Amino acid sequence: MTRTVVPDRPAESRIDELVGESVDHSRRGDWSTAVRCQRQAVELAGELLDDAPDDVSRRTGLGGLCYRLGALHLADRDPAAAVAALDDAVRAYAGLVGAVPDAELSLADVLARRGLAQSVRGWAASAEVDADAAVLAYLSVTGGDPAHPRRRDLARVLASNAATLAPAGDPQLAIASANAALGYYGHGDAADAGGDGSDGTVDSGYVHSAAVVSALLNFVDGRVVEGFVPAAVIAAGLPPGQARQALEAELRVVDGLLSMAGGPVPFPPEMGRSLARLVLPTVRDRGLLWVPADDWLDRAAQPTLTAVMQRHTAGAGQATPLATATPGSDPALLWTTSMRWLSGLPLQAAVQLVTVAVDVLLTGSAYADGRRLALAAHALLASAYRAAPDRPPQDPAAYLPVWQRLLEVATDSCRAAGDHALAEDFDAWRARLR
């Protein structure tokens, strides 16, 4: 049973002052001072909650303060500190689920932000698990209905998921999630001609971020047509200037070729990469959720799970777990790894995927493929491990031993490949499951 305690006004007033100072410093780009002020506010709020641990308003306030501290650490380029702050926010909001309306959605927002922080940190396994849980929480509430009052919240979390997956996740899922975010925002714009009170500035940032993910990941893989619409969204959101003019000029060329052809146009892959080179400079200094590294275009593209499964199971007398478990699944509607589970993936298929991942990693000849398989298998088993109100719990004995084996092999393989951040991530999961 919860109780509400009369607030300690002097302490709460000081918290308000510190948050105000933090906001002022963040507007000036003084992130370290903004972080310091926000951390002091968090410490004061924590002391208030210690005095009254059952006070709902104090726990809610602490969760919000920790969430903002995590965002400030991210802006200050300290993702590890961001994760630590967001861990505190998760604990605060988890204690409110069932006691406060929509607490599960506040928790989902924190998980989405923590997923971004983990992604920036290079902990791709934890990043995918957090972002996955955030998307599923909003899908559970909205049912994916494009007319739902919370459709913009779903769009925001999908944009965040796309940005989380963009650096190291499955590009097919990242593109699908980004496109879905753009679609939900587009419906909202059409349905709410009179305005719905949403913050247009915040929404436009998520729209732009989703467009960047979809355009760049399509262009870098030579898919000019698929990247055209999101690139047009990017161009429309740019300030007047040379960068906007150059991008719009190239898009007019593409549009003209599409109009004349009246059907599919076999654009050369290099045209997509040229468009990616035009888009890349426009994403700098815009506060986007995902900002590609300077050498991003020079790196090998991340493989999709679908392509990897085809390479390592076709012709081997082995059923393809995901293909057989999700017949007819529309790739455009798969936004997270565990959404394959929602389409009917049995636990045994996830266990079989672990077997494939371990085999590929142990060969040492296809690290990128083994990494993709390991990340997907880990996300599926983490979904089985995570409690879900609409799914009965799985028996841990059915998958914990193979999961631990996967984490052991993945940790060693990542370390051998010099992928130390991901090795630390997998090793942390190993320790958690012991």
Tab-separated table of all heavy atoms in Angstrom, residues 152 182 185 199-211 233 237 286 288:
chain	number	residue	atom	x	y	z
A	152	ARG	N	1.788	8.779	-31.888
A	152	ARG	CA	3.032	9.549	-31.970
A	152	ARG	C	4.065	9.011	-30.976
A	152	ARG	O	5.266	9.037	-31.245
A	152	ARG	CB	2.762	11.032	-31.715
A	152	ARG	CG	2.061	11.733	-32.858
A	152	ARG	CD	1.857	13.218	-32.556
A	152	ARG	NE	1.169	13.875	-33.645
A	152	ARG	CZ	1.769	14.398	-34.716
A	152	ARG	NH1	3.075	14.323	-34.829
A	152	ARG	NH2	1.067	14.983	-35.666
A	182	LEU	N	8.032	6.850	-39.688
A	182	LEU	CA	7.631	7.888	-40.641
A	182	LEU	C	6.163	7.733	-41.014
A	182	LEU	O	5.436	8.721	-41.155
A	182	LEU	CB	8.503	7.814	-41.899
A	182	LEU	CG	9.978	8.176	-41.701
A	182	LEU	CD1	10.771	7.899	-42.978
A	182	LEU	CD2	10.128	9.638	-41.302
A	185	TYR	N	3.936	8.948	-38.109
A	185	TYR	CA	3.951	10.409	-38.051
A	185	TYR	C	3.160	11.010	-39.209
A	185	TYR	O	2.449	11.992	-39.047
A	185	TYR	CB	5.383	10.926	-38.090
A	185	TYR	CG	6.046	10.982	-36.740
A	185	TYR	CD1	7.263	10.348	-36.509
A	185	TYR	CD2	5.461	11.671	-35.681
A	185	TYR	CE1	7.878	10.399	-35.270
A	185	TYR	CE2	6.066	11.727	-34.439
A	185	TYR	CZ	7.281	11.088	-34.236
A	185	TYR	OH	7.888	11.145	-33.006
A	199	ASP	N	4.414	18.377	-29.347
A	199	ASP	CA	5.515	19.303	-29.534
A	199	ASP	C	6.091	19.099	-30.926
A	199	ASP	O	6.810	18.142	-31.177
A	199	ASP	CB	6.581	19.036	-28.456
A	199	ASP	CG	7.708	20.040	-28.500
A	199	ASP	OD1	7.949	20.610	-29.575
A	199	ASP	OD2	8.338	20.264	-27.451
A	200	GLY	N	5.794	19.993	-31.844
A	200	GLY	CA	6.235	19.832	-33.221
A	200	GLY	C	7.736	19.787	-33.358
A	200	GLY	O	8.285	19.082	-34.194
A	201	THR	N	8.471	20.533	-32.521
A	201	THR	CA	9.920	20.542	-32.598
A	201	THR	C	10.483	19.177	-32.233
A	201	THR	O	11.348	18.634	-32.914
A	201	THR	CB	10.502	21.609	-31.652
A	201	THR	OG1	9.976	22.880	-32.017
A	201	THR	CG2	12.012	21.648	-31.743
A	202	VAL	N	9.972	18.595	-31.146
A	202	VAL	CA	10.424	17.272	-30.734
A	202	VAL	C	10.067	16.245	-31.801
A	202	VAL	O	10.890	15.426	-32.209
A	202	VAL	CB	9.790	16.892	-29.380
A	202	VAL	CG1	10.093	15.444	-29.042
A	202	VAL	CG2	10.312	17.821	-28.288
A	203	ASP	N	8.831	16.282	-32.279
A	203	ASP	CA	8.405	15.328	-33.301
A	203	ASP	C	9.273	15.441	-34.549
A	203	ASP	O	9.668	14.434	-35.141
A	203	ASP	CB	6.937	15.570	-33.673
A	203	ASP	CG	5.973	14.943	-32.674
A	203	ASP	OD1	6.414	14.215	-31.773
A	203	ASP	OD2	4.775	15.186	-32.809
A	204	SER	N	9.573	16.660	-34.978
A	204	SER	CA	10.349	16.835	-36.205
A	204	SER	C	11.743	16.240	-36.047
A	204	SER	O	12.323	15.720	-37.005
A	204	SER	CB	10.435	18.314	-36.581
A	204	SER	OG	11.184	19.042	-35.620
A	205	GLY	N	12.301	16.293	-34.841
A	205	GLY	CA	13.603	15.683	-34.616
A	205	GLY	C	13.557	14.177	-34.800
A	205	GLY	O	14.453	13.589	-35.418
A	206	TYR	N	12.519	13.535	-34.280
A	206	TYR	CA	12.381	12.088	-34.453
A	206	TYR	C	12.089	11.722	-35.906
A	206	TYR	O	12.588	10.713	-36.413
A	206	TYR	CB	11.290	11.549	-33.524
A	206	TYR	CG	11.722	11.439	-32.087
A	206	TYR	CD1	11.311	12.372	-31.134
A	206	TYR	CD2	12.557	10.407	-31.666
A	206	TYR	CE1	11.730	12.278	-29.804
A	206	TYR	CE2	12.977	10.300	-30.345
A	206	TYR	CZ	12.554	11.243	-29.418
A	206	TYR	OH	12.968	11.147	-28.107
A	207	VAL	N	11.286	12.540	-36.569
A	207	VAL	CA	11.011	12.314	-37.996
A	207	VAL	C	12.313	12.361	-38.787
A	207	VAL	O	12.608	11.485	-39.615
A	207	VAL	CB	10.012	13.360	-38.539
A	207	VAL	CG1	9.958	13.313	-40.059
A	207	VAL	CG2	8.622	13.133	-37.959
A	208	HIS	N	13.103	13.406	-38.545
A	208	HIS	CA	14.357	13.564	-39.275
A	208	HIS	C	15.307	12.407	-38.991
A	208	HIS	O	15.965	11.879	-39.899
A	208	HIS	CB	15.007	14.898	-38.890
A	208	HIS	CG	16.098	15.331	-39.817
A	208	HIS	ND1	15.861	15.866	-41.062
A	208	HIS	CD2	17.442	15.281	-39.685
A	208	HIS	CE1	17.013	16.140	-41.649
A	208	HIS	NE2	17.992	15.800	-40.835
A	209	SER	N	15.363	11.982	-37.727
A	209	SER	CA	16.248	10.882	-37.369
A	209	SER	C	15.839	9.587	-38.062
A	209	SER	O	16.685	8.851	-38.581
A	209	SER	CB	16.232	10.695	-35.843
A	209	SER	OG	17.195	9.748	-35.456
A	210	ALA	N	14.535	9.292	-38.080
A	210	ALA	CA	14.055	8.084	-38.763
A	210	ALA	C	14.365	8.152	-40.256
A	210	ALA	O	14.767	7.151	-40.864
A	210	ALA	CB	12.556	7.919	-38.536
A	211	ALA	N	14.195	9.330	-40.839
A	211	ALA	CA	14.472	9.486	-42.268
A	211	ALA	C	15.947	9.255	-42.574
A	211	ALA	O	16.294	8.634	-43.591
A	211	ALA	CB	14.044	10.879	-42.723
A	233	VAL	N	12.370	13.614	-47.246
A	233	VAL	CA	11.993	14.120	-45.918
A	233	VAL	C	13.168	14.857	-45.289
A	233	VAL	O	13.010	15.925	-44.688
A	233	VAL	CB	11.535	12.953	-45.011
A	233	VAL	CG1	11.330	13.435	-43.577
A	233	VAL	CG2	10.254	12.333	-45.545
A	237	GLY	N	13.551	19.057	-44.381
A	237	GLY	CA	13.804	19.531	-43.022
A	237	GLY	C	15.094	20.300	-42.861
A	237	GLY	O	15.407	20.774	-41.768
A	286	ARG	N	23.101	18.184	-35.614
A	286	ARG	CA	21.644	18.359	-35.605
A	286	ARG	C	20.989	17.628	-34.433
A	286	ARG	O	19.774	17.546	-34.350
A	286	ARG	CB	21.035	17.881	-36.926
A	286	ARG	CG	21.371	18.787	-38.109
A	286	ARG	CD	20.678	18.319	-39.384
A	286	ARG	NE	19.233	18.341	-39.262
A	286	ARG	CZ	18.473	19.401	-39.497
A	286	ARG	NH1	19.040	20.541	-39.850
A	286	ARG	NH2	17.154	19.343	-39.389
A	288	LEU	N	20.811	14.451	-33.739
A	288	LEU	CA	20.045	13.270	-34.133
A	288	LEU	C	20.323	12.100	-33.193
A	288	LEU	O	21.337	12.058	-32.496
A	288	LEU	CB	20.398	12.875	-35.566
A	288	LEU	CG	20.031	13.892	-36.649
A	288	LEU	CD1	20.429	13.357	-38.014
A	288	LEU	CD2	18.544	14.183	-36.618
